[in-house]
């Protein structure tokens, strides 16, 4: 908005300047009542803002034709300007972000890569028709041993949901179908592993589609850690609280492949 407003004001000034030149070439906007270019510019601006003091009014065919085209143009520009400003002001500030890191821990006996996307401070914000995608960029070697970068689509346990207002933990299982299966910590670093996550959804107020994307390098992936629970329930008071500040907080957790007993 801070960029749009100066650009819009600059456009308004430039357009009225051009219109004033057009009136001058037509012999003046208001016949004998317009003495110089300043009167033409003043009349053009009054026409744009629909002020109309009455002291200046178009005289002659050409001046009236310019007023006609200027009026149509001004109506369109004013509508666009009002629409953009209105949209900017009613759009809620986005309080959603990705966690600062990813974690790998065992979930139901299988090593699982996890990342959080959620509300930062609990402000009421809803998004609908939310979908997620996760991609892996990794360095591999061909048959001749030459390294090359390749990209995989990492399948998520759940990749869409109807509504999101708090936190969503995205999970990718490191099972035999995963390109990350059976890779050690050293391999994650030597193969320059990078994981990209994209979230898309629809703003419930404006109906606009939004897209949030982030990326994690190997050093951003914490092995043998889990995210701390953000939800706490007080049984005595029957109250559920949500700590939004703990989006990226982690603690140690076991990571191993049950069938092989491989500890990462």
């Amino acid at each position: 908005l801070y960029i749009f407003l100066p650009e819009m004001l600059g456009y308004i000034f430039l357009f009225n300047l051009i219109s004033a030149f057009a009136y001058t070439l037509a012999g003046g906007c208001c016949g004998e009542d317009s003495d110089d270019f300043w009167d033409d510019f003043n009349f053009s601006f009054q026409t744009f803002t629909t002020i109309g003091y009455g002291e200046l009014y178009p005289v002659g065919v050409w001046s009236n034709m310019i007023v006609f085209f200027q009026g149509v143009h001004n109506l369109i520009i004013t509508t666009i300007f009002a629409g953009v400003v209105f949209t900017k002001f009613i759009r809620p500030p986005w309080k959603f972000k990705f966690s600062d890191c990813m974690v790998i821990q065992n979930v139901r006996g299988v090593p699982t890569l996890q990342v959080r996307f959620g509300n930062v401070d609990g402000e009421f914000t809803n998004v609908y028709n939310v979908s997620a995608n996760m991609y892996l960029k990794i360095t591999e070697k061909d048959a001749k041993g030459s390294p090359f970068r390749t990209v995989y689509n990492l399948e998520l346990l759940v990749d869409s949901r109807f509504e999101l207002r708090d936190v969503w933990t995205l999970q990718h299982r490191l099972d035999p179908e995963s390109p990350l299966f059976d890779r050690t910590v050293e391999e994650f670093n030597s193969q320059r592993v990078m994981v990209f996550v994209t979230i898309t959804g629809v703003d419930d107020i404006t109906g606009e589609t939004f897209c949030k994307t982030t990326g994690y390098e190997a050093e951003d992936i914490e092995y043998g850690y889990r995210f701390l629970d953000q939800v706490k329930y007080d049984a005595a008071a029957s109250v559920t609280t949500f700590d939004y500040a703990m989006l990226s907080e982690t603690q140690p957790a076991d990571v191993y492949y049950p069938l092989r007993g491989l500890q990462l």
Side-chain angles (χ1 to χ4, degrees), residues 13-253:
F13 176 80
L14 181 62
F15 178 78
N16 282 289
L17 194 65
I18 295 174
S19 298
F21 275 114
Y23 287 122
T24 301
L25 292 175
C29 64
C30 311
E32 296 180 355
D33 292 333
S34 54
D35 298 327
D36 51 26
F37 178 80
W38 171 247
D39 284 338
D40 293 335
F41 180 82
N42 190 26
F43 174 73
S44 176
F45 186 77
Q46 291 180 27
T47 302
F48 183 90
T49 57
T50 68
I51 294 176
Y53 291 114
E55 294 182 1
L56 297 174
Y57 53 88
V59 175
V61 176
W62 288 109
S63 293
N64 279 278
M65 289 182 63
I66 296 173
V67 168
F68 171 79
F69 287 109
Q70 189 178 10
V72 173
H73 167 272
N74 296 347
L75 179 63
I76 296 173
I77 292 299
T78 302
T79 303
I80 294 175
F81 178 76
V84 171
V85 173
F86 177 74
T87 301
K88 294 293 183 182
F89 274 109
I90 69 169
R91 179 182 297 171
W94 280 107
K95 300 295 184 177
F96 286 92
K97 64 172 290 187
F98 289 94
S99 57
D100 297 331
C101 63
M102 305 185 82
V103 299
I104 296 180
Q105 65 154 334
N106 271 48
V107 178
R108 298 179 181 177
V110 179
T112 303
L113 178 67
Q114 297 180 324
V115 63
R116 272 178 173 172
F117 177 78
N119 203 317
V120 178
D121 58 9
E123 290 292 330
F124 182 78
T125 304
N126 272 13
V127 290
Y128 294 98
N129 297 329
V130 188
S131 60
N133 292 282
M134 187 179 292
Y135 305 94
L136 168 69
K137 181 181 287 189
I138 192 171
T139 300
E140 296 184 327
K141 293 184 178 181
D142 58 20
K144 297 181 179 180
S146 300
F148 67 95
R149 296 286 279 174
T150 186
V151 177
Y152 293 96
N153 186 0
L154 299 181
E155 183 178 354
L156 298 172
L157 287 179
V158 178
D159 62 5
S160 63
R161 56 191 296 175
F162 168 70
E163 179 187 35
L164 176 63
R165 69 169 62 185
D166 38 53
V167 173
W168 187 12
T169 300
L170 303 175
Q171 303 182 78
H172 168 70
R173 293 164 62 93
L174 306 186
D175 55 23
E177 302 299 323
S178 170
L180 293 175
F181 177 72
D182 208 9
R183 296 183 187 269
T184 64
V185 175
E186 291 74 17
E187 288 175 325
F188 269 68
N189 288 285
S190 63
Q191 295 178 328
R192 298 163 54 202
V193 165
M194 295 188 65
V195 179
F196 298 93
V197 185
T198 299
I199 302 283
T200 58
V202 177
D203 187 308
D204 66 329
I205 296 179
T206 64
E208 294 182 351
T209 300
F210 78 92
C211 180
K212 297 289 185 181
T213 302
T214 192
Y216 300 91
E217 298 183 355
E219 55 266 27
D220 300 320
I221 303 175
E222 299 186 4
Y223 308 90
Y225 282 83
R226 62 181 293 271
F227 287 115
L228 291 177
D229 293 332
Q230 293 182 267
V231 180
K232 296 181 180 179
Y233 177 69
D234 186 345
S238 298
V239 175
T240 300
T241 58
F242 202 101
D243 191 346
Y244 294 97
M246 297 176 61
L247 181 69
S248 301
E249 298 297 321
T250 62
Q251 68 179 20

